[in-house]
């Protein structure tokens, strides 16, 4: 995935996070350019529902739209089981490569999560950028994070996602301090250096996150006499709209997946006694990787420590029960179920 960024001519606009104690900027970016075209690949395993898969793929295409990426082709493969080396059969890989060339797509996006070696093999076989669901979600998270807390969490998740993918094909760009020049690191030695730097950065970010977590815990303690209500639910279900209505605040709901990433806490209007504090936070989605949930644990503490959860469901979606199940399962995962 990373190797091909160069082909896109991507210059990262994201300002990398700078740890307080850091002398150099480490910039391990997953970013790919907007306006890109993608082929979406899905696999139907024996016993699975084709209708559900159709919905999952439509959802993945919405995620891509959020990034400005257009799905120009879809391919579905029916398989008994997934192959460990590249997930789908090699004949299908060639077929996808040809479809991508024909449609001018530089991205191949898989509906499920792939292992590091699977991504590498697929990239080697196609010469294209391969992304999986978590990669897409991470990219959205990283574009939508605003607060230090969300940015720190996203960067940890992103580095953890990239670590197993840093191999021979790995190209990394490092924005030089001040100059903005791009450097390319190559070879096993460079990769080892990159890996070490990524691990060091993770541990620095985790320390920062712990500090933020303590500050947030102190803030919550000072609000211990107030009633805390957390709005939860599937992404794009209307959580921020409800928050806006109940608190009469100037926040702007958006028809976008993961528009909200940072937790905001506001008082219900008109005021009540005791005061009721409402929090709006990141939404959930199916097949959210455990490590991603884990990385957002600090944000989700607002949810796990709430007195009441307000679960928002968009019932205009035909299979809204699925969304309810996903939300309940993530809530159980973070100990708030
Ligand atoms: N028709 C209709 N649209 C709604 C309703 N509630 C929200 N919306 C629209 O649905 C879209 C998503 O609303 P948000 O409130 O941003 O949803 P969210 O759950 O906060 O979404 P994320 O933060 O992205 O997870 C927006 O375009 C809203 O205007 C509703 O009750 N009816
Ligand atoms: Mg929202």
């Amino acid at each position: 995935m990373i190797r091909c960024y160069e082909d896109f001519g991507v210059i990262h606009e994201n300002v990398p996070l700078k740890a307080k104690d850091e002398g150099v900027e480490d910039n391990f970016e997953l970013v790919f350019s907007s306006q890109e075209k993608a082929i979406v690949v899905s696999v139907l395993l024996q016993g699975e529902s084709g209708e559900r898969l159709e919905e999952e793929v439509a959802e993945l295409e919405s995620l891509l739209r959020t990034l400005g990426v257009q799905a120009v082709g879809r391919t579905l493969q029916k398989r008994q089981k997934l192959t460990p080396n590249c997930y789908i059969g090699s004949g299908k890989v060639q077929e996808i490569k040809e479809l991508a060339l024909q449609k001018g797509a530089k991205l191949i996006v898989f509906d499920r999560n792939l292992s590091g070696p699977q991504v590498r093999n697929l990239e080697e076989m196609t010469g294209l950028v391969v992304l999986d669901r978590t990669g897409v979600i991470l990219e959205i998270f990283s574009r939508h994070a605003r607060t230090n807390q969300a940015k720190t969490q996203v960067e940890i998740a992103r580095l953890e996602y990239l670590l197993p993918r840093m191999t021979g094909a790995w190209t990394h760009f490092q924005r030089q301090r001040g100059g903005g020049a791009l450097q390319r690191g190559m070879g096993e030695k460079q990769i080892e250096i990159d890996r070490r730097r990524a691990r060091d950065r993770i541990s620095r970010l985790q320390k920062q996150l712990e500090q933020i977590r303590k500050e947030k815990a102190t803030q919550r303690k000072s609000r211990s006499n107030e009633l805390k209500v957390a709005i939860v639910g599937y992404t794009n279900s209307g959580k921020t709209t409800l928050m806006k209505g109940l608190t009469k605040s100037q926040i702007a709901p958006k028809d976008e997946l993961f528009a909200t990433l940072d937790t905001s806490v506001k008082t219900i209007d008109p005021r009540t006694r005791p005061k009721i504090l409402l929090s709006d936070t990141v939404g959930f989605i199916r097949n959210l990787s455990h490590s991603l949930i884990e990385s957002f644990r600090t944000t989700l503490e607002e949810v796990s420590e709430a007195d009441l959860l307000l679960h928002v469901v968009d019932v205009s979606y035909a299979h809204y029960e699925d969304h309810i199940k996903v939300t309940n399962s993530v809530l159980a995962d973070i100990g708030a179920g």
Side-chain angles (χ1 to χ4, degrees):
M1 149 184 14
I2 297 119
R3 176 190 44 186
C4 300
Y5 289 166
E6 186 180 52
D7 306 338
F8 291 180
V10 179
I11 307 271
H12 306 304
E13 296 305 329
N14 286 17
V15 180
L17 265 186
K18 245 187 283 176
K20 280 181 195 143
D21 57 341
E22 221 177 319
V24 256
E25 289 177 5
D26 291 320
N27 191 8
F28 298 97
E29 292 289 349
L30 234 183
V31 183
F32 49 89
S33 63
S34 291
Q35 314 300 321
E36 212 51 74
K37 291 181 181 150
I39 303 292
V40 172
V41 182
S42 56
V43 178
L44 187 66
L45 291 175
Q46 216 173 18
E48 285 182 345
S49 146
E51 196 190 343
R52 288 286 146 84
L53 187 73
E54 177 66 32
E55 281 165 20
E56 276 184 34
V57 171
E59 184 173 82
L60 181 62
E61 290 178 355
S62 307
L63 287 164
L64 288 170
R65 264 198 304 281
T66 303
L67 291 173
V69 174
Q70 189 193 355
V72 290
R74 272 190 192 184
T75 153
L76 168 77
Q77 196 182 26
K78 289 182 182 162
R79 289 189 74 87
Q80 298 273 1
K81 59 180 171 59
L82 303 171
T83 62
N85 57 341
C86 60
Y87 187 84
I88 49 174
S90 55
K92 192 71 182 176
V93 176
Q94 284 314 311
E95 207 182 288
I96 294 166
K97 183 181 173 179
E98 278 158 31
L99 181 65
L101 284 174
Q102 194 191 327
K103 300 270 185 185
K106 284 186 180 173
L107 274 174
I108 304 179
V109 185
F110 281 75
D111 178 40
R112 300 186 199 213
N113 291 329
L114 302 169
S115 69
Q118 283 171 337
V119 172
R120 287 197 308 272
N121 292 340
L122 285 161
E123 292 200 331
E124 266 161 30
M125 288 166 81
T126 58
L128 297 163
V129 179
V130 173
L131 267 183
D132 64 5
R133 225 179 125 81
T134 298
V136 172
I137 294 172
L138 268 175
E139 186 57 35
I140 299 176
F141 276 24
S142 106
R143 291 193 196 178
H144 291 183
R146 296 282 169 269
T147 61
N148 217 4
Q149 181 185 25
K151 284 182 181 172
T152 309
Q153 289 174 138
V154 174
E155 197 177 349
I156 292 172
R158 194 206 320 238
L159 287 170
E160 281 174 347
Y161 177 81
L162 283 178
L163 262 175
R165 290 165 174 81
M166 291 182 187
T167 57
W170 158 256
T171 301
H172 101 263
F173 296 111
Q174 185 189 8
R175 193 189 283 270
Q176 292 291 292
R177 210 167 235 287
L182 295 172
Q183 255 193 5
R184 189 173 178 200
M186 283 188 74
E188 285 304 319
K189 202 170 163 214
Q190 182 62 48
I191 292 156
E192 208 25 69
I193 294 169
D194 282 349
R195 280 207 191 110
R196 204 185 57 234
R197 285 174 58 232
R199 281 193 211 101
D200 289 351
R201 180 129 179 89
I202 291 173
S203 69
R204 277 197 303 271
L205 289 166
Q206 273 166 342
K207 277 188 203 136
Q208 277 184 307
L209 192 59
E210 183 52 26
Q211 189 55 39
I212 297 171
R213 202 188 65 76
K214 280 186 191 150
E215 285 163 18
K216 296 274 172 191
T218 312
Q219 274 175 20
R220 273 198 303 275
K221 223 173 177 179
S222 71
R223 305 189 304 236
S224 55
N225 293 331
E226 290 143 7
L227 192 65
K228 292 182 276 301
V229 181
I231 302 178
V232 295
Y234 209 78
T235 183
N236 209 34
S237 59
K239 300 179 296 299
T240 302
T241 308
L242 182 67
M243 173 85 164
K244 186 181 163 82
L246 291 175
T247 60
K248 304 211 172 64
S249 52
Q250 292 303 310
I251 38 179
K254 275 190 197 161
D255 191 10
E256 216 176 57
L257 302 183
F258 299 112
T260 308
L261 219 60
D262 309 287
T263 306
S264 61
V265 180
K266 297 192 189 306
T267 312
I268 281 196
D269 186 81
R271 292 250 175 147
T272 53
R273 261 196 218 174
K275 201 154 88 178
I276 301 176
L277 294 177
L278 204 60
S279 68
D280 178 25
T281 189
V282 60
F284 306 136
I285 198 163
R286 72 189 103 204
N287 306 331
L288 205 52
S289 75
H290 186 78
S291 61
L292 215 50
I293 298 173
E294 199 47 48
S295 69
F296 268 72
R297 205 165 265 278
T298 319
T299 287
L300 293 170
E301 274 175 9
E302 208 68 58
V303 171
S304 48
E305 295 190 8
D307 300 302
L308 181 75
L309 299 181
L310 245 179
H311 184 162
V312 179
V313 182
D314 176 1
V315 291
S316 70
Y317 174 64
H319 300 285
Y320 66 86
E321 292 99 337
D322 289 353
H323 287 184
I324 295 176
K325 273 188 209 145
V326 169
T327 300
N328 286 342
S329 129
V330 181
L331 288 174
D333 209 359
I334 60 164

